[in-house]
Amino acid sequence: MGTLRNRTALVTGGSRGIGRSISERLGREGALVGVHYGSDEGAAKSTVAAIEAAGGRAFTLQAELGVPGDAGKLWAAFDERIRGLSATPGLDILVNNAGTALPAGIADTAEHDFDRVFAVNAKAPFFIIKQGLERLRNGGRIINTTSGMTRIAFPAIAATAMSKGALTTLTRTLALELAPRSITVNSVAPGITETEANAWLADPGARTHAESYSAFKRVGQPTDIADIVAFLASDDARWITGQDIDATGGSLLGL
């Protein structure tokens, strides 16, 4: 513990699945962690309790993403909680992890569903970053959670993959723009990961098929992703920017 001591982090969607693992890992490294949630306050409080039980510091903040004014509400909640904790204003690490999935191919995708997935996965991070730049200290870190499906064609989630591809492009663009402030911007692209959102992995046949994608013949765990994020948030990753880190466990390498 200690690589992120005296730093403040914000993890969107930080209360469940991959986001929870990221929040807990950053907390173990000494960061004060803002655990954002959209609707499940209980999960967010549970995450904060786990961080505190491990000797870390954390707080919850709520904002629904994908709706007008979402970024402003998020940052207003962040500022208020920081003041309440008498912590130093500002931010060192922003993890745009919150996202939604649309399990539909192009033929079955309704326009309002397309708009929703882009609002959460692409528009929200864009404006969260825009409004957060005045708070992000020089030498800070922006880390975006994208998807291995931006590399691997998977027609069954066409709009979702497309929205994550937009976030990958934003990562490269901002890496160049923010380099003069020594702010690194990278993304992490998970593959099939064992979270609540992938409850279908409980089916033995489906799990075996999912495991076959990875070179390691297993599905990913949230901690696999969190460890990569913690590295990118640390000083050790100071020379890495504009990169989309493949975190799929080598999925489909042999094809």
Side-chain angles (χ1 to χ4, degrees), residues 54-112:
R57 301 176 301 148
F59 59 92
T60 65
L61 64 159
Q62 189 276 333
E64 181 183 357
L65 302 185
V67 298
D70 52 2
K73 181 178 180 181
L74 175 75
W75 288 117
F78 175 84
D79 293 341
E80 180 181 359
R81 295 308 309 274
I82 288 292
R83 285 194 298 269
L85 293 168
S86 299
T88 303
L91 184 72
D92 301 286
I93 302 159
L94 171 60
V95 182
N96 285 302
N97 171 76
T100 189
L102 177 60
I106 189 168
D108 299 317
T109 298
E111 187 171 354
H112 67 274

Side-chain angles (χ1 to χ4, degrees), residues 23-252:
S23 296
E24 291 184 1
R25 178 60 198 273
L26 298 183
R28 287 199 302 273
E29 294 299 335
L32 169 63
V33 184
V35 179
H36 159 264
Y37 69 97
S39 59
D40 194 341
E41 182 180 14
K45 288 183 175 180
S46 175
T47 302
V48 167
I51 292 170
E52 292 176 341
R57 301 176 301 148
F59 59 92
T60 65
L61 64 159
Q62 189 276 333
E64 181 183 357
L65 302 185
V67 298
D70 52 2
K73 181 178 180 181
L74 175 75
W75 288 117
F78 175 84
D79 293 341
E80 180 181 359
R81 295 308 309 274
I82 288 292
R83 285 194 298 269
L85 293 168
S86 299
T88 303
L91 184 72
D92 301 286
I93 302 159
L94 171 60
V95 182
N96 285 302
N97 171 76
T100 189
L102 177 60
I106 189 168
D108 299 317
T109 298
E111 187 171 354
H112 67 274
D113 290 330
F114 179 95
D115 290 343
R116 170 64 181 169
V117 78
F118 265 81
V120 175
N121 292 354
K123 183 178 179 181
F126 184 100
F127 285 98
I128 289 170
I129 294 171
K130 176 184 176 181
Q131 296 185 30
L133 286 177
E134 63 187 43
R135 298 168 175 84
L136 191 62
R137 287 184 267 271
N138 291 346
R141 302 283 188 264
I142 298 174
I143 303 161
N144 300 316
T145 302
T146 56
S147 171
M149 297 309 158
T150 62
R151 173 178 65 85
I152 302 166
F154 196 64
I157 56 167
T160 304
M162 188 177 173
S163 66
K164 291 294 189 176
L167 191 54
T168 302
T169 299
L170 178 63
T171 296
R172 289 194 297 268
T173 302
L174 290 178
L176 183 60
E177 180 175 349
L178 299 179
R181 292 180 54 189
S182 297
I183 295 171
T184 68
V185 188
N186 293 289
S187 56
V188 177
I192 300 173
T193 307
E194 193 160 21
T195 66
E196 300 158 9
N198 288 329
W200 55 270
L201 287 170
D203 176 81
R207 187 182 187 91
T208 298
H209 179 70
E211 290 174 340
S212 71
Y213 281 88
S214 168
F216 300 114
K217 303 307 177 189
R218 69 172 177 85
V219 297
Q221 296 299 314
T223 52
D224 294 326
I225 314 305
D227 290 347
I228 298 169
V229 172
F231 166 69
L232 291 174
S234 74
D235 287 339
D236 289 342
R238 62 191 175 277
W239 201 234
I240 301 173
T241 197
Q243 302 305 303
D244 185 43
I245 308 299
D246 186 295
T248 68
S251 289
L252 299 182

